[in-house]
Structure formats: C-alpha cells, structure tokens
Amino acid sequence: MSRSTSVAGGPAPALTDLTEDRPVYVIGGGPGGLSAAAALRERGMRAVVLEKSGSVGASWRGHYDRLRLHTTRRRSALPGLAIPRRFGRWVDRDDMVRYLEKYAEYHELEVVTGVEVSRVDRSPDGSGWQLAASGGRMLTGRAVVVATGFNHTPRVPDWPGRDTFTGELAHASEYRDAAPYAGRDVLVVGVGNTGAEIAVDLVEGGASRVRIAVRTAPHIVRRSTLGWPSQATAVLVRRLPVWLVDRAARLMSRLAVPDLTAYGLPRPDTGLYSRVREGAIPVQDVGLIDAVKGGRVVPVVAVESFDGDAVVLADGTRITPDAVIAATGYRRDLEGLVGHLGVLDARGRPVVRGGRTPRQAPGLYFTGFTNPISGMLREMALDARKIARRIAGRAARSR
C-alpha cells in the first residue's frame, strides 16, 4: 500500500491500519469531514480523512463566484479555529476555501486525497468497518464517519423533450459568473437560494432578460434586519413548537418583506418552519426582492417540458430562452455507499445524524446531510463534537 502526503505537508500513514489502533475513517474532506476529524484528534483519536478529489473543500471550490455564506462568520466556524475577522461578516467562497485549507493544516489532520470510497461494510470479524476504495484498496477502521456532502450529485429533472432542446441547458453547479450570458435571454429553473442568487447575478452581469421558474412559492427572509442576522433568530426558535414559529414568521414576513404577488411571486400558503421540516430552506434576500419589484427578474410558472427551441411552462405558455440554468438541487447518492445497510430513509437520507448511530450499524456516523434553519456549518460543528465524544466513549469502554 503506497503512502500519501497529508495537507499539513508531512508524510501520511499508510492507508491500511489493522492494529488495535485502527483509525476512524472519515469519508469526505469538506467542512463536515474536517470538523469531525479535528474533534476526534482533540480527544486523542486517530482519524484519517479520505477525499476523492485532489484537495479539501472541493465542493466549495466549484461554487459560483458571487457566493457568500448566509450565516455569520462567528456562527460558521468549525471546532477549534475561528474564521478570521478580515474575511468579513458574510464570508465569500474563496475565503471559505482558504479557511478550510488552514483548518486542515492548523489541526494537522491526516488527509489522503484522490481516494474514493465506493462501499462500506462491517469488517469480517465484526469489530469495525471495512471500506472498499479506489485502486482496489480495502481499508479497515474502528468507526466510519460519512461526510460526503449535502450537495453531492447535481440533479436535473427528466423533463419530457429535454434532450431535444436546441438551446443551452446547464445545471447550476456549472455556473460560475454571468459573463457567458451577457446580452442573452436566460431562464433560471428553481427559486431556492442558489437560483435566486444566480438570477440576480445574471441581471447585474448584463443578461438581456432573466426569468425564474417557480413551482412552489418560497419563503423569503432578510439576511439581516437592523444588523440582526436571521440566523440568530433561527438559532433561538429552532426548538420551539412548529406552529408557534410558523405564526411568528408569518408576522415578521409581513413586516419585513413586501408582498410580491402582483409580480408573480405570491406569499407561501404553508408555514416557514413547516416547510423547513420538509427540507425547504427560506430564501435569503441578496437582491431578489428589488430585482423582482423592478421587473428585472420575472417569475414564471414551473417548467413542464421542452420542445425544440421552446420551454413549455405548466400553464401552457411557450418561451424560447437562449439558455436554461437548472437550479434544481442535488442528490446525496448514498445508496451505493451504505444503502445495503438499511441506514437510509425512503428519500435516501441517513436515518440518524451526529452522535447517534444506527442500531443495526453501530460505529457508523453521518454529518452534513441536513440543511437546518440554524445553519449547516453551525450544525456540523456541533455534530463533530458529538461524534467524537461518542466514538471516544465507545473506545474507552472496549479497552
């Protein structure tokens, strides 16, 4: 088994460790995986991060240029290292990548890049876990933390006629900036945070026309009001009854967010927190409200199908944009990795997270597969400490 080089610059251990000090394998070198590894190291546990790409924070490197965190710098830091104040309150993409690189170096994490794990099974002796990885590797560890990411595999709906569309069709994961779309008619499909930001970016970048296809009207919130970030409110209310948060959010929305019904974007008919519990996160306003009110971004109904150069909408309208950007989300794609273990729900999501481990798969942990109202990075930081505490406790009891 060949040796690799860690992010910290020194030689990393061989990938297979069959001694009593078998490592905890962490699958994924994003914030969830790095924070879990750091928390384990803090408790004296050896953790090896396996990252299929060539560097940590791979998904962050691929995001569009204008991306900034919707959560504050202070509430987005991972365990053991603050995000530098010079990065500002709303950290941008490039600074987030710099932070993740520094985080791995600062904690002297063992990160092995270029290794993709395809399947996780119990080890033959039942005392740990065996990972099938690229290059024919079989890795054995005492526990496994799956942190392959919420945004793993781009999802584009199988619209009828999609393959016959003569215009340009791309997933939002391929979008970097508005330059290629200057002077063009663009339809953005999906009004989540990504779709909303891309639509605004297109307008500011000189697209001649921007429409956004909306299947379900989103909840829109201000990123901050009078200096108070919406994330702070979310942290305070996340454990309150759903009906109470829905009612409070409805009142706040009417006070802070204008009614855009006349512009084709009505207020939702379901509560904000009810929607969050179903996996729909509110849209943080970074210019969408003004763009819609000003007629620069025009909401239209959902896409139904494609027909040659036309996009057919749910109300029968046919439009002919030059380009379509599908901000239609991602799949977790965990089925091949752990689906055979019975640890996923009907939607392909882990049945547990953080410090909890499935009853039928003790020693298998998940982090980063939810998008909570209080902020994904904050929750991953909390999960990391819970996971490390649980694994260290199990190790102590087994001695």
Side-chain angles (χ1 to χ4, degrees):
M1 183 72 63
S2 63
R3 296 167 70 88
S4 180
T5 301
S6 71
V7 169
L15 286 176
T16 300
D17 181 350
L18 300 177
T19 70
E20 288 300 309
D21 294 324
R22 289 180 298 183
V24 176
Y25 280 109
V26 180
I27 307 174
L34 296 179
S35 59
L40 285 161
R41 181 177 173 84
E42 183 181 49
R43 287 182 171 269
M45 304 285 293
R46 181 179 171 217
V48 178
V49 179
L50 304 176
E51 168 55 45
K52 69 177 182 178
S53 74
S55 57
V56 299
S59 63
W60 284 90
R61 297 172 191 273
H63 286 312
Y64 48 92
D65 292 351
R66 74 173 282 146
L67 177 69
R68 287 182 176 272
L69 293 182
H70 291 156
T71 52
T72 62
R73 178 190 70 251
R74 185 170 65 85
R75 292 184 178 88
S76 301
L78 304 179
L81 184 66
I83 298 177
R85 289 179 60 87
R86 68 178 183 276
F87 288 176
R89 193 181 199 192
W90 313 106
V91 181
D92 68 27
R93 181 201 62 188
D94 290 345
D95 282 338
M96 189 63 193
V97 170
R98 294 185 185 99
Y99 172 69
L100 294 176
E101 291 174 339
K102 181 63 178 178
Y103 190 84
E105 179 183 356
Y106 178 82
H107 287 290
E108 299 181 334
L109 302 182
E110 294 183 36
V111 180
V112 183
T113 59
V115 175
E116 182 173 7
V117 179
S118 57
R119 185 179 170 98
V120 176
D121 288 290
R122 294 305 301 267
S123 59
D125 64 5
S127 65
W129 291 92
Q130 184 170 276
L131 288 67
S134 53
R137 300 176 176 90
M138 296 300 293
L139 316 177
T140 304
R142 68 171 69 210
V144 174
V145 181
V146 180
T148 49
F150 190 82
N151 296 337
H152 187 272
T153 303
R155 183 183 69 84
V156 178
D158 189 19
W159 289 298
R162 187 186 72 182
D163 295 338
T164 68
F165 182 52
T166 57
E168 178 183 331
L169 173 62
H171 188 269
S173 60
E174 303 172 62
Y175 181 89
R176 294 296 173 268
D177 59 53
Y181 301 95
R184 303 176 70 190
D185 181 341
V186 186
L187 172 67
V188 179
V189 183
V191 70
N193 279 295
T194 296
E197 288 201 39
I198 288 176
V200 173
D201 197 44
L202 288 165
V203 167
E204 295 176 355
S208 62
R209 186 176 190 178
V210 178
R211 286 171 284 202
I212 188 163
V214 180
R215 182 170 297 279
T216 304
H219 284 277
I220 302 175
V221 299
R222 301 289 189 181
R223 187 165 63 177
S224 65
T225 303
L226 300 176
W228 179 262
S230 63
Q231 183 192 12
T233 301
V235 171
L236 292 174
V237 307
R238 65 186 300 264
R239 298 194 184 281
L240 295 177
V242 173
W243 67 266
L244 181 59
V245 180
D246 281 349
R247 184 172 298 179
R250 187 177 301 113
L251 175 60
M252 290 300 298
S253 177
R254 293 187 181 280
L255 293 174
V257 178
D259 186 355
L260 301 175
T261 301
Y263 303 94
L265 202 58
R267 294 188 188 277
D269 55 9
T270 54
L272 183 150
Y273 204 18
S274 295
R275 291 277 294 280
V276 168
R277 296 291 289 271
E278 297 171 359
I281 296 299
V283 171
Q284 302 257 359
D285 178 46
V286 290
L288 180 67
I289 291 174
D290 288 343
V292 169
K293 288 180 65 177
R296 293 173 294 144
V297 171
V298 178
V300 297
V301 298
V303 170
E304 191 70 23
S305 62
F306 289 77
D307 183 13
D309 65 346
V311 178
V312 182
L313 304 180
D315 62 2
T317 303
R318 297 170 65 91
I319 60 176
T320 54
D322 300 316
V324 175
I325 299 173
T328 46
Y330 295 79
R331 299 192 305 271
R332 313 306 157 244
D333 266 7
L334 292 170
E335 288 79 6
L337 187 68
V338 296
H340 56 287
L341 299 172
V343 297
L344 304 178
D345 65 16
R347 297 171 63 182
R349 302 172 304 182
V351 295
V352 297
R353 52 163 278 203
R356 299 172 60 197
T357 187
R359 181 178 304 174
Q360 68 274 34
L364 180 64
Y365 300 86
F366 297 89
T367 184
F369 295 100
T370 60
N371 196 4
I373 192 173
S374 52
M376 184 182 290
L377 290 168
R378 177 181 181 274
E379 294 303 314
M380 284 192 289
L382 295 174
D383 279 353
R385 295 198 185 280
K386 293 175 184 176
I387 291 170
R389 183 167 60 247
R390 185 70 177 273
I391 293 176
R394 288 172 60 89
R397 289 192 296 272
S398 67
R399 291 193 185 114

